[in-house]
Amino acid sequence: MEYSPKQIEQKWQTFWSENKSFEPEDNTKKEKKYILSMFPYPSGRIHMGHVRNYCLGDAFARYFRKADFNVLHPIGWDSFGMPAENAAIKHKLHPKKWTYENIDYMRDELRALGLSFSEEREFATSDELYTKWEQEFIIKMYEAGLLYKKSTTVNWCEPCHTVLANEQVEEGCCWRCNTPVEQKEMPGYYIAITKYAQELLDDLKILEGSWPSQVLTMQENWIGRSEGLEFSLELSKDSRFKLDKQFSTFDVFTTRPDTIYGMSYSALAPEHPIVKYIVENNLLPEEKILAIKAMQKVSERDRATQDKEGLSLEIDVIHPLTGELISVWVANFVLVSYGGGAVMAVPAHDERDFEFAKKYDLPIKQVIVGKDGILENQTEAYTQEGELINSESFTGLKNTKAKKAMIYHFEQNSLGKKQINYKLRDWGVSRQRYWGAPIPFVHCDDCGLVPEKIENLPIALPEDVEITGKGNPLDTHEWRKCACPKCGKEATRETDTLDTFVQSSWYFLRYATNPKLWQKEGISKKDSDYWMNVDQYIGGIEHAILHLLYSRFFTKALNDLGYTDSREPFKKLLTQGMVLKDGAKMSKSKGNVVDPDLIIEKYGADTARLFILFAAPPTKELEWNDSAVEGAFKFIKKFVQRSEYVTSKSIEEFKNIEQSSLNKEEKEARRKVYEALKRADDVFNKTYTFNTLIAGAMEALNALQAQNNELIWAEGYYILTNILEPIIPHTCWELADKLFNRSNFNSKIQVKEEVFELDSITIAVTINGKKRCEVEVAPDTSKDEILALAKESANKWLDGKEIIKEIVVPNKLVNLVIKG
């Protein structure tokens, strides 16, 4: 039988589509598996990262489908966002036209890989029907106090006329037009994810063992729970006058109240209200004002990689316990988003504070001593445990006990209070751009901010717009004009659209709803109760924080709003590594991109699938290798050609093989085949090491070729075709159709333990650790008999030598230690 990938693949892809082979059953009594790969952005072409992601997901889906599970394996398109607007400007196209043409093209590319997606459940997040239900959820969140509007300082790009996320500010400039970014006070919509901070943290424990520990740690750090002391620092009289009596105190938070007597300066974030007031009213010399403004333009992310910088604000605060004057500085390492944007600085016991104090020659006061005692001329911060010194009545306490004692003292004297803080901030979801889901609110002069009526949803985008990159075209469109849903008077629509992370935070719940219900409800609770949670989620490690955190939050919020009983969306998570070429991530700029279409055209989809799953374990980076692709093709070709050894007679009789009647080569071949079968179960349920499964199948094929029993060939192909189907489905469906009438895809094959019973085992004989020979013995041979055989076989190396030690490792080796 010749291997013709184009012919075979077209045949079966047509068959699967016409027969709706991969649609989930409407049978909630059947055990289910929900297999989901993170959906793609319709950029125009698939890349090798897509191929790896979706081949992994497809392998899981096919495996569990064959094991008689009811499998939901959907695909869709994360289709709103800035790239479509950039493309609209570049190509003078409407973003919608560009997006949906890309979807059509990429759909065909993915279909060419033979991926077993449900075709009926496909959707794009820019579909108006999807927007309708998303807007309903947003309104319900607003009514429940989970969404609110507030003004805050944002990164603003004037030429683009839009707010930028911190990640879109590069060295103080807009990532798109390279214009310096301004800090601007603007109203925006925020989702109160911080209300769920503790639950999001606690529920990470549920995911231990099922999610990569690296991802759990990243989420834990992002949420950033810390316990400490919050207290106020009172400005000195002169400082209050300098600030026109607009401020008398500011709050600080510290996780190290035991070091409070070591505070030698305080530092404020560049965006702190006091700093902003000083800048706006020119209360410092011009060079300082300009330096602060420059500092404000740098994103928090970029500041984290910069050297510590700051300058004195020429004001002081009073130490709450000693009454000493403490200078106040502005510093680039202080974040306005954490702890109020102000810190007490203890350089003797904090590395960051120490570095800053050394740079600007600020006092360093040691208040904790370890076993080395008082440190003269400190060269680094002392951050270990010890006893308090220079701390008045607290001197002599262990610093671990002093933390609680200090908090108690502050609370008893109304100086401060114990506080739990999180690094996690509420989620700003407003975007000043056209190609996104409109935020469903109306501004009324009489009624204020009013949510649109549910029956009026969706609030769809107008299509007669021109994208120029200069501001949001919705701001000047007639679409803005509307009637107030509450009083009926003339009003104005909200022109901000939602952050695209909102769309990807609930799409998995939409898939879980039967398409027959899509017009009636966004999420079917009944369907969700059956399909959720996602049993296996697959995607890149780059989504380890925001997408996964927002999805976890959205699931909990929608649970509280009554849409689903699920509270954690993804049961198991597999984060696949990147595909590299020449040691670097594939990118057009590096000129190292491999086009999946060309690989499929030359070798076929099954070769691409086999290579991508065989070249490396899925969690590791994969280095592209042209010769390995050729090797994958040759294996499939050989697998197809060797199927000629399977005869029609052997197909009828192989299920009655007598193990005891087989010779050594036949038994070895059978054992290798069943080892591959056992490995498949382990790979799909535990290890995910598809490379070892494929290697086992290759070993089994080699073992089959070393014997001539037609029944062993038939059984071997029945099993190998079964276990390789999730990886090279077109080839296996063709072989199964020709040889077994596809019956091997209908039920799970039982492992026959008899094939693992060995007639003999080979034991290595080593002398002083160096292998000299081997002996073949029956599995039940005694230790003494093994030693006798080993000595006999190794006699020429033992002649005249004294054996001083004899070691027998069962079923593996004998080591004889000699001297002389």
Side-chain angles (χ1 to χ4, degrees), residues 105-283:
Y105 188 85
M106 290 178 69
R107 183 191 297 113
D108 289 340
E109 286 190 300
L110 292 177
R111 184 178 288 133
L113 282 166
L115 302 169
S116 63
F117 292 128
S118 162
E119 295 181 3
E120 294 179 355
R121 300 197 183 217
E122 180 190 329
F123 60 78
T125 58
S126 51
D127 294 345
E128 288 184 11
L129 186 58
Y130 192 82
T131 295
K132 171 183 178 178
W133 301 114
E134 183 166 283
Q135 289 172 337
E136 177 181 307
F137 303 150
I138 290 297
I139 290 169
K140 296 296 184 185
M141 286 184 177
Y142 175 74
E143 292 171 348
L146 290 178
L147 183 135
Y148 60 93
K149 193 173 186 184
K150 72 171 182 179
S151 289
T152 188
T153 302
V154 296
N155 303 311
W156 178 258
C157 176
E158 184 57 36
C160 295
H161 208 71
T162 189
V163 170
L164 301 175
N166 285 338
E167 291 75 18
Q168 295 170 323
V169 179
E170 298 173 352
E171 296 183 356
C173 295
C174 172
W175 68 287
R176 187 164 73 172
C177 70
N178 206 36
T179 301
V181 169
E182 304 172 29
Q183 295 299 299
K184 188 174 182 179
E185 190 84 16
M186 279 190 65
Y189 294 88
Y190 290 81
I191 290 179
I193 190 173
T194 51
K195 290 186 176 182
Y196 289 78
Q198 191 59 50
E199 185 182 351
L200 287 165
L201 189 63
D202 291 342
D203 285 356
L204 291 175
K205 294 182 177 64
I206 299 171
L207 305 173
E208 288 178 1
S210 299
W211 281 34
S213 57
Q214 178 188 6
V215 174
L216 297 178
T217 300
M218 291 167 76
Q219 293 229 345
E220 184 178 348
N221 291 341
W222 188 265
I223 296 167
R225 185 184 193 273
S226 56
E227 294 185 12
L229 173 67
E230 183 179 88
F231 63 98
S232 295
L233 286 172
E234 183 181 345
L235 288 158
S236 67
K237 184 177 180 181
D238 288 345
S239 298
R240 289 200 300 274
F241 276 105
K242 184 169 185 175
L243 296 174
D244 305 320
K245 296 184 179 180
Q246 294 298 308
F247 303 90
S248 58
T249 64
F250 60 83
D251 293 335
V252 297
F253 170 78
T254 178
T255 59
R256 294 295 308 275
D258 52 319
T259 65
I260 198 164
Y261 281 94
M263 174 171 50
S264 62
Y265 66 95
S266 179
L268 303 179
E271 300 83 8
H272 192 280
I274 289 178
V275 179
K276 288 168 70 176
Y277 185 83
I278 289 172
V279 170
E280 289 166 1
N281 292 277
N282 294 307
L283 301 181

Side-chain angles (χ1 to χ4, degrees), residues 501-525:
F501 272 116
V502 174
Q503 283 93 64
S504 59
S505 293
W506 70 279
Y507 78 112
F508 42 88
L509 285 159
R510 181 61 166 172
Y511 286 143
T513 297
N514 192 312
K516 296 174 184 176
L517 303 173
W518 281 4
Q519 293 288 339
K520 296 180 180 178
E521 52 190 335
I523 299 169
S524 163
K525 191 168 182 300

Side-chain angles (χ1 to χ4, degrees), residues 152 159 208 245 279 330 372 397 444 463 500 646 676 683 690 720:
T152 188
E208 288 178 1
K245 296 184 179 180
V279 170
V330 60
D372 295 330
L397 279 179
C444 175
E463 294 193 20
T500 56
V646 180
V683 164
F690 293 96
L720 290 178

Side-chain angles (χ1 to χ4, degrees), residues 545-782:
I545 299 177
L546 294 183
H547 164 59
L548 291 174
L549 190 68
Y550 292 154
S551 296
R552 295 179 62 223
F553 157 74
F554 237 84
T555 303
K556 294 176 190 302
L558 289 173
N559 172 286
D560 288 339
L561 293 171
Y563 287 98
T564 178
D565 279 341
S566 178
R567 285 197 80 80
E568 276 294 335
F570 311 122
K571 195 178 295 182
K572 288 184 178 181
L573 175 67
L574 171 61
T575 52
Q576 93 271 10
M578 291 189 298
V579 181
L580 310 177
K581 191 168 191 290
D582 304 324
K585 182 180 179 181
M586 289 187 184
S587 72
K588 290 180 182 178
S589 62
K590 293 188 178 74
N592 66 346
V593 173
V594 175
D595 188 340
D597 291 352
L598 297 179
I599 299 299
I600 294 170
E601 175 68 23
K602 184 175 181 180
Y603 295 107
D606 281 350
T607 292
R609 294 172 64 119
L610 184 71
F611 166 77
I612 211 81
L613 295 179
F614 182 53
T619 57
K620 304 296 183 184
E621 292 178 337
L622 183 155
E623 177 70 34
W624 185 264
N625 184 321
D626 291 328
S627 63
V629 175
E630 182 74 32
F633 175 76
K634 287 180 178 178
F635 168 74
I636 299 174
K637 185 176 180 180
K638 182 171 76 170
F639 184 57
V640 171
Q641 291 173 340
R642 296 297 185 273
S643 68
E644 294 173 355
Y645 295 133
V646 180
T647 64
S648 56
K649 182 180 177 183
S650 64
I651 290 169
E652 296 173 4
E653 299 177 359
F654 78 81
K655 292 186 179 179
N656 300 315
I657 294 174
E658 279 290 336
Q659 178 75 6
S660 59
S661 67
L662 304 180
N663 63 34
K664 181 180 178 181
E665 289 75 18
E666 292 166 350
K667 287 180 178 179
E668 175 67 5
R670 205 171 184 221
R671 182 173 66 84
K672 285 292 184 182
V673 167
Y674 276 95
E675 278 181 353
L677 178 62
K678 287 182 77 170
R679 190 177 293 177
D681 291 338
D682 197 49
V683 164
F684 282 102
N685 290 288
K686 295 178 185 176
T687 66
Y688 308 150
T689 52
F690 293 96
N691 55 314
T692 65
L693 167 58
I694 296 167
M698 291 175 172
E699 289 176 14
L701 183 58
N702 289 336
L704 285 172
Q705 291 181 142
Q707 57 85 53
N708 298 309
N709 189 320
E710 289 185 358
L711 297 182
I712 304 299
W713 271 104
E715 182 188 43
Y717 260 74
Y718 182 78
I719 293 172
L720 290 178
T721 304
N722 185 288
I723 63 178
L724 285 173
E725 189 270 348
I727 298 164
I728 50 172
H730 308 89
T731 303
C732 291
W733 276 69
E734 181 70 12
L735 288 176
D737 191 52
K738 293 274 195 271
L739 303 177
F740 309 111
N741 194 28
R742 296 202 309 277
S743 61
N744 64 326
F745 298 149
N746 296 334
S747 61
K748 187 175 176 66
I749 300 172
Q750 297 300 316
V751 174
K752 296 183 178 180
E753 295 296 336
E754 66 192 51
V755 304
F756 301 110
E757 296 174 5
L758 299 174
D759 295 330
S760 64
I761 54 175
T762 300
I763 294 178
V765 179
T766 63
I767 297 176
N768 289 351
K770 188 173 183 179
K771 184 178 177 181
R772 294 299 187 184
C773 59
E774 293 178 342
V775 294
E776 192 169 326
V777 299
D780 59 353
T781 304
S782 69

Side-chain angles (χ1 to χ4, degrees), residues 255-262 344 367-368 388 391 398-400 402-403 406:
T255 59
R256 294 295 308 275
D258 52 319
T259 65
I260 198 164
Y261 281 94
M344 72 167 204
V367 291
I368 298 175
L388 264 61
S391 300
K398 292 282 187 185
N399 74 295
T400 50
K403 289 180 182 180
M406 200 70 74

